[in-house]
Amino acid sequence: MRKRGFVVSATAAVMTAVSLVGVQLSMPGWAGFRRDPKEVVDEVWQIVNREYVDPSFNSLDWEAVRRDLLSREYATREDAYEAIREALKKLNDPYTRFLDPDQFASMQIDTSGELTGVGITLGMDQETNELVVISPIEGSPADRAGIKSKDVIVRIDDKSTEGMDTNAAVNLIRGEPGTRVRLTIRREGEGLKVFDLVRERIELATVRYKVHEENGLPIGYIRITQFSGNAAEKMRQAIRELEKQGVAAYVLDLRANPGGLLYSSAEIARMWINRGSIVSTVNRQGEQDRLTANNTALTDKPLAVLVDGGSASASEILSGALQDNRRAVIVGTQTFGKGLVQSVHPLSDGSGLAVTIARYRTPNGNDIDHKGITPDILVELSEEDLKRLSQNRELVATPADPQYAAAIQALQAQISARRQQAQEVIRSSSR
């Protein structure tokens, strides 16, 4: 089956699938442009000129782009915003994008772990230019209604999505809690389906955990839904609590996790890895910034990581670090394949700009952009599996979940091997 290529460029009530160096959560309190719309136009041009990862600007004469932008007259700020978006499209990079004040405010909320909407990660198919669902947020209106990964959104209320970009779609899908939105989707093999959803305020439980008893072994199960600003602290609390409960091993579930903050994923990696590289980034000058472990691991117990096609960006940074350092066994399917890093800048009128500033590499130097992380143990879910697990969420992360079951089997083998090694040490010392 051909693997579809998704480009995530905006979201409907969830973080974009990007690796963000950081999001500045304060910005100038401007009610409008300070002088004229050209000021923000030039701000955007200057940031891209200074930081964009490709110094050829996709073979554009970037100076000529500036002359063109500043030669125009803009009657309204919306006219300026449209000109900015047109210029950025020429870079052919869906991750470098302009955010109007409402969109920028939404991004700030997303990285803080709270949001309002229906709870879907929204993307675009590279081959068909159709709007698609990357993944629904667990427990969100979209998830409860049965919307699935890879559903194609063909209408939002009474508007066709043909030719619509993701920012425009997000504006239509998001709204005040209690209001309704109708999504018409096309699902492979099932035709069109209509979902009437009520928007609500969604508090993201970025990290959830519990102890699972599997064949007499206490297994610490940890689920991360996104790498928001509080994810590292929540993970630290989870590991410490599970250690107190005496778990023998861990399953870390990164399935359908679209990413978030780069440094959040690196900090979480340090909780599992004592020494070694975590990730390196390469900017336009070819300079490398390498993040490494710092002897702060909280446990050395066996670890399995669950991934799938919805595991993107910061999820891939974490799973790649754990895999290359041989700290964990990776179980599931090929990940999304997004190896670019963005920096987010507030602009003078309250809008914002996300600009790609670097490419990241796994510790072994692998570039996973458009490729993804290949699991150590490949476990595909059948259509029947997907239907069964989506209809009954209680079965996820149980022996009825084939990927989770494979992870438990791998952990049991590791625990058994460790016990044998310990017995060998004891026998050797007693001779």
Side-chain angles (χ1 to χ4, degrees):
M1 182 179 294
R2 179 175 60 86
K3 181 180 178 182
R4 304 180 71 177
F6 297 124
V7 171
V8 180
S9 57
T11 58
V14 70
M15 266 292 298
T16 302
V18 297
S19 299
L20 299 174
V21 173
V23 181
Q24 301 181 43
L25 298 182
S26 61
M27 58 186 173
W30 298 91
F33 290 101
R34 288 179 292 181
R35 294 185 180 86
D36 70 57
K38 291 183 182 179
E39 187 161 337
V40 169
V41 171
D42 200 40
E43 276 186 83
V44 169
W45 186 91
Q46 294 288 354
I47 292 169
V48 173
N49 186 59
R50 183 173 64 248
E51 298 187 8
Y52 188 59
V53 66
D54 176 10
S56 79
F57 303 99
N58 194 33
S59 301
L60 288 173
D61 183 341
W62 196 241
E63 291 285 347
V65 171
R66 180 174 188 256
R67 290 193 296 271
D68 174 59
L69 288 171
L70 297 183
S71 69
R72 305 184 196 180
E73 295 300 324
Y74 304 103
T76 66
R77 69 177 188 173
E78 284 71 25
D79 291 341
Y81 292 169
E82 184 57 32
I84 291 170
R85 291 190 174 105
E86 288 175 4
L88 294 179
K89 280 183 181 179
K90 297 175 183 178
L91 298 173
N92 195 30
D93 173 13
Y95 304 107
T96 293
R97 66 194 192 281
F98 174 79
L99 304 157
D100 66 30
D102 289 340
Q103 293 166 343
F104 186 53
S106 294
M107 171 175 275
Q108 296 178 64
I109 293 170
D110 289 349
T111 56
S112 72
E114 298 177 351
L115 49 86
T116 298
V118 299
I120 57 175
T121 311
L122 185 62
M124 184 169 286
D125 189 301
Q126 284 180 301
E127 297 181 2
T128 65
N129 290 324
E130 293 178 309
L131 289 167
V132 295
V133 175
I134 300 301
S135 62
I137 299 175
E138 293 177 21
S140 68
D143 183 45
R144 296 195 303 268
I147 289 179
K148 300 179 181 180
S149 176
K150 299 184 181 180
D151 282 346
V152 178
I153 301 176
V154 297
R155 297 185 72 82
I156 302 171
D157 288 328
D158 59 349
K159 295 186 178 180
S160 169
T161 61
E162 185 176 358
M164 184 182 294
D165 65 24
T166 47
N167 283 330
V170 166
N171 287 338
L172 291 174
I173 296 174
R174 277 181 164 160
E176 291 297 315
T179 59
R180 291 181 173 273
V181 62
R182 173 174 291 185
L183 301 183
T184 303
I185 65 97
R186 187 180 72 249
R187 183 173 296 163
E188 189 172 353
E190 299 185 35
L192 295 180
K193 294 178 177 289
V194 178
F195 295 87
D196 285 304
L197 305 175
V198 179
R199 301 177 179 99
E200 61 185 50
R201 189 171 303 280
I202 303 167
E203 184 176 349
L204 292 176
T206 53
V207 177
R208 301 198 307 275
Y209 64 94
K210 64 185 300 186
V211 176
H212 291 185
E213 289 290 335
E214 305 293 354
N215 298 321
L217 289 173
I219 303 295
Y221 173 78
I222 305 176
R223 166 79 174 135
I224 312 178
T225 57
Q226 72 164 351
F227 292 88
S228 60
N230 63 2
E233 182 55 36
K234 296 292 185 183
M235 173 61 75
R236 186 174 289 107
Q237 294 172 7
I239 296 174
R240 286 174 174 167
E241 181 59 31
L242 290 169
E243 284 292 297
K244 288 180 183 178
Q245 296 184 49
V247 298
Y250 289 88
V251 173
L252 181 59
D253 195 342
L254 299 180
R255 292 177 293 183
N257 181 324
L261 300 174
L262 182 150
Y263 289 113
S264 177
S265 66
E267 191 61 25
I268 289 173
R270 291 186 176 114
M271 299 175 198
W272 301 98
I273 303 169
N274 252 332
R275 291 192 268 317
S277 174
I278 294 173
V279 65
S280 61
T281 57
V282 182
N283 64 17
R284 65 194 289 176
Q285 287 83 30
E287 297 174 353
Q288 287 198 353
D289 180 17
R290 186 175 296 273
L291 300 178
T292 61
N294 55 3
N295 293 300
T296 56
L298 300 178
T299 180
D300 66 351
K301 291 174 181 173
L303 171 66
V305 179
L306 300 179
V307 297
D308 63 10
S311 306
S313 175
S315 291
E316 294 170 302
I317 290 174
L318 177 56
S319 55
L322 295 170
Q323 184 181 57
D324 285 4
N325 283 283
R326 298 185 177 181
R327 177 62 184 89
V329 58
I330 311 299
V331 181
T333 57
Q334 199 80 5
T335 62
F336 183 84
K338 195 274 179 181
L340 303 175
V341 182
Q342 283 70 45
S343 178
V344 177
H345 296 263
L347 304 174
S348 61
D349 72 327
S351 58
L353 175 71
V355 57
T356 299
I357 62 170
R359 304 177 186 276
Y360 74 75
R361 301 287 186 269
T362 70
N364 287 349
N366 297 323
D367 177 3
I368 61 90
D369 202 42
H370 299 297
K371 302 172 186 175
I373 299 290
T374 301
D376 301 302
I377 301 174
L378 182 64
V379 181
E380 296 273 2
L381 296 182
S382 67
E383 289 298 322
E384 182 181 341
D385 291 330
L386 291 169
K387 182 177 181 180
R388 179 168 46 84
L389 294 173
S390 65
Q391 289 178 344
N392 186 357
R393 303 292 299 184
E394 297 295 322
L395 297 178
V396 175
T398 72
D401 177 345
Q403 292 171 337
Y404 175 83
I408 294 300
Q409 186 175 7
L411 289 175
Q412 288 173 332
Q414 289 186 42
I415 292 169
S416 177
R418 284 194 176 196
R419 287 175 175 172
Q420 289 179 2
Q421 290 173 359
Q423 290 171 356
E424 285 293 330
V425 171
I426 292 171
R427 283 196 292 266
S428 297
S429 62
S430 62
R431 289 171 185 167

